[in-house]
Amino acid sequence: MLRLPDDLRGAFKEPLGPVYTDTERLLSKAEGQIIAVGDVVTYHLRTADRDPDVAVIDGKTKREAVGDEIRRVLSGDNPRIEVENPAATLSEELLAALREAVDSDEHTVVVVTEGEEDLATLPAILVAPVGSLVVYGQPDEGMVGVPVTPKAKTDARELMAQFEGDTDAAFETLGI
């Protein structure tokens, strides 16, 4: 549905919020739903006894398969929605799954079976209720906690609007 243009890749180098290395400190900032994007982030939240309301995982970290301990912690009986999301894209399947997972009353895991979840942070910010916290990994630095505010939503929408493809249809899929 949407593809990240090469000239926009640099916009994702800088974290969209504060970087945390201490999970408890990160969780002290959480007031509403927590949406985790990434296997290692989800692992850290779960081992701190806070199962994210929504987790988006793909079985990889830094393009390599996650280890057995992470895989074990990420397995479980939460409802799962499997999607495909090719690298450097946001597929319609992923966007619809995010919307469904955020709207669910159950802790839900969106599993990217083919492709990657790297760009799911922006649509997660857009579908999350104001007051939520979207958490994603910043490689070799820690976890980024993005408080979902009206400004964060505006910034995420402006970035997504620069993707190649049918952004209006993408926003419609997200219900925004």
Side-chain angles (χ1 to χ4, degrees), residues 2 14 23 50 68 70 92 100 102 107 123 134 151 169 172:
L2 297 179
E14 289 299 312
T23 308
R50 179 55 168 94
D68 291 340
I70 293 174
E92 183 175 6
E100 180 181 341
V102 167
H107 292 255
V134 174
K151 179 171 180 357
E172 185 176 315

Side-chain angles (χ1 to χ4, degrees), residues 57-161:
I57 62 174
D58 65 2
K60 299 178 206 130
T61 182
K62 297 183 192 175
R63 310 234 190 281
E64 299 291 326
V66 296
D68 291 340
E69 171 66 8
I70 293 174
R71 193 173 12 267
R72 183 188 63 74
V73 169
L74 297 184
S75 67
D77 53 7
N78 288 3
R80 291 178 176 260
I81 305 169
E82 293 187 355
V83 300
E84 291 184 12
N85 190 68
T89 69
L90 289 168
S91 69
E92 183 175 6
E93 277 184 78
L94 176 65
L95 299 179
L98 272 169
R99 172 86 264 158
E100 180 181 341
V102 167
D103 288 345
S104 175
D105 291 332
E106 297 182 86
H107 292 255
T108 303
V109 180
V110 177
V111 181
V112 177
T113 57
E114 292 288 326
E116 60 186 30
E117 92 294 78
D118 297 16
L119 295 176
T121 299
L122 292 178
I125 293 167
L126 290 172
V127 297
V130 168
S132 299
L133 185 68
V134 174
V135 184
Y136 69 94
Q138 187 75 9
D140 302 317
E141 290 186 44
M143 297 173 284
V144 179
V146 183
V148 178
T149 63
K151 179 171 180 357
K153 287 179 171 285
T154 298
D155 292 347
R157 186 181 181 102
E158 287 174 0
L159 266 175
M160 269 185 65

Side-chain angles (χ1 to χ4, degrees), residues 27-42:
L27 288 171
S28 74
K29 306 298 180 190
E31 297 174 9
Q33 283 190 8
I34 294 179
I35 295 100
V37 178
D39 297 67
V40 174
V41 166
T42 303

